[in-house]
Amino acid sequence: MTDYRYLIVGGGMVADAAARGVRELDTDGTIGVLSEDVDRPYARPALSKKLWTDPDFSWDEKVDLHTEETGAEFLLGTRVVSIDRATKTVTTADGATHGYEQLLIATGGKPRGLPGLEPSDRVLDYRSAADYRRLRTLADAGVHVVVVGGGYIGTEIAAGVVQTGARVTLVDPDEVVGGAMFPDDLARAFQQRFVDHGVELRTGRRVTEGSQTADGVTLTLDDGSEVEADAVVVGLGIEPVTGLAADAGLTVDDGIVVSSTLVTDDPAVFAAGDVARYPDRILGTRRVEHVDNAQQQGRQAGRNLADADETYDHTPMYYSNVFDMGYEAVGTVSADLRTVEDWQDPTVTGVVYYLDDDDTVRGVLLWNVSDKTDEARKVLAEANAITPDMLPGRITA
């Protein structure tokens, strides 16, 4: 059995940030990272963003997070199958046991799949660097790639791959790409960028079944039509991986439930990142699947593993870059909410505020507006005192 002062289950960006957070307070305590991935922690957003669009974007300099600088010991390609809180040990699929004094669960999420299609060299759920390397090989060969899902990952991958010269089809259940998030005019302008760049759109459609051979993949859509492709990228979101925590008797409710200091029911067990359901000081209890949260919450979890006992009080932002468009957002951005739009240049530069039925701001979208997320957080924090007529001009580019 190998013992660690600090043990992290999961090897993503949370693990990197947590190891660095530990080192801010404890320069000597042993850190172990058990990861199913075959790569050390890396900047996951690059997999769907700059690696596709910037030929000078270096893996070693820009993507690999070099977590080894913390002195952490990595056990890659390692799956944890159980946590024993009584003995403070975890057991891996190969039967090895590792002890801990403080444990961080950062297991992230499992991608939602497509009916009849298991992940393979041609069906990618696109969560790892290995998925990127495989898709890059296919895209550079100019094959036909079908992307299923019009959310963050789907739109970014469709945009990135088509710019390599490959043929791309985007299957999106929304009638307009971006229609679940953006006001209608903005969604239509967003969609038009895909059309302009040659992406074939199958909007308002869902995949009902699929099959694959060594040579390709066939998807059947809900209108009975078929789409044949060399590869399929599935971008339908994730489900938090909570099984380990639940089996260990920890409270789970759409994520592992943690306190404001990111601790679970067990004072020696913490959770952070995609898998953690935590109390946000502005927006209430939530679970966030974006990089800003992974970095900031991971760092705070690491500090708290090392006995800082500090509240996680950061309200995270999220962002996306697609073709020549970039947006950042804080809070809930959903077409189900009413909006107040404040454009300097319609659908090009401006701010969209999302309000609930009580006219309270619940989300802020910054469209091609940079470095204003702190102002967006301030609007959300003061939302009860802000009426809709006070919103125009409140945040400017």
Side-chain angles (χ1 to χ4, degrees), residues 3-207:
D3 289 324
Y4 298 97
R5 171 80 175 92
Y6 310 102
L7 185 58
I8 302 170
V9 178
M13 297 186 75
V14 171
D16 172 77
R20 296 180 188 279
V22 165
R23 286 293 179 246
E24 291 176 12
L25 299 176
D26 182 347
T27 58
D28 300 317
T30 55
I31 302 172
V33 179
L34 307 181
S35 174
E36 292 188 40
D37 208 330
V38 297
D39 293 282
R40 288 187 315 232
Y42 45 85
R44 193 180 298 274
L47 303 184
S48 59
K49 294 182 173 73
K50 280 214 165 189
L51 282 171
W52 293 97
T53 59
D54 185 348
D56 297 323
F57 200 72
S58 160
W59 181 276
D60 186 62
E61 294 181 10
K62 303 289 188 179
V63 186
D64 188 331
L65 295 175
H66 295 288
T67 316
E68 73 279 2
E69 297 169 349
T70 67
E73 180 180 332
F74 296 90
L75 283 80
L76 301 176
T78 300
R79 182 170 62 90
V80 174
V81 296
S82 66
I83 299 169
D84 188 329
R85 292 162 49 204
T87 61
K88 287 193 171 183
T89 59
V90 305
T91 301
T92 58
D94 60 1
T97 301
H98 303 277
Y100 64 85
E101 292 182 39
Q102 300 281 75
L103 177 68
L104 173 62
I105 304 175
T107 43
K110 178 179 175 57
R112 299 184 181 98
L114 288 172
L117 288 177
E118 292 296 321
S120 69
D121 282 348
R122 294 188 180 274
V123 179
L124 306 175
D125 54 28
Y126 214 78
R127 288 289 289 175
S128 70
D131 290 334
Y132 164 75
R133 291 190 286 264
R134 175 58 180 163
L135 183 59
R136 186 84 212 199
T137 298
L138 293 167
D140 286 347
V143 304
H144 180 203
V145 176
V146 174
V147 180
V148 181
Y152 301 104
I153 293 296
T155 52
E156 289 179 356
I157 289 299
V161 172
V162 79
Q163 291 180 80
T164 69
R167 178 187 169 198
V168 176
T169 298
L170 177 61
V171 179
D172 187 350
D174 291 333
E175 294 295 336
V176 179
V177 179
M181 293 177 58
F182 308 138
D184 187 63
D185 285 354
L186 179 56
R188 293 186 183 281
F190 184 68
Q191 175 174 276
Q192 188 60 42
R193 296 293 204 288
F194 290 86
V195 175
D196 293 343
H197 283 82
V199 176
E200 302 171 43
L201 299 179
R202 298 298 299 273
T203 55
R205 298 272 70 93
R206 298 179 183 274
V207 176

Side-chain angles (χ1 to χ4, degrees), residues 18-19 36 53-54 101 104 123 129 140 152 187 218 273 293 298 305 313 333 344 354 356 388 395:
E36 292 188 40
T53 59
D54 185 348
E101 292 182 39
L104 173 62
V123 179
D140 286 347
Y152 301 104
T218 301
N293 186 60
L305 285 171
D313 60 4
V333 173
Q344 291 169 308
Y354 290 77
D356 63 16
I395 300 176

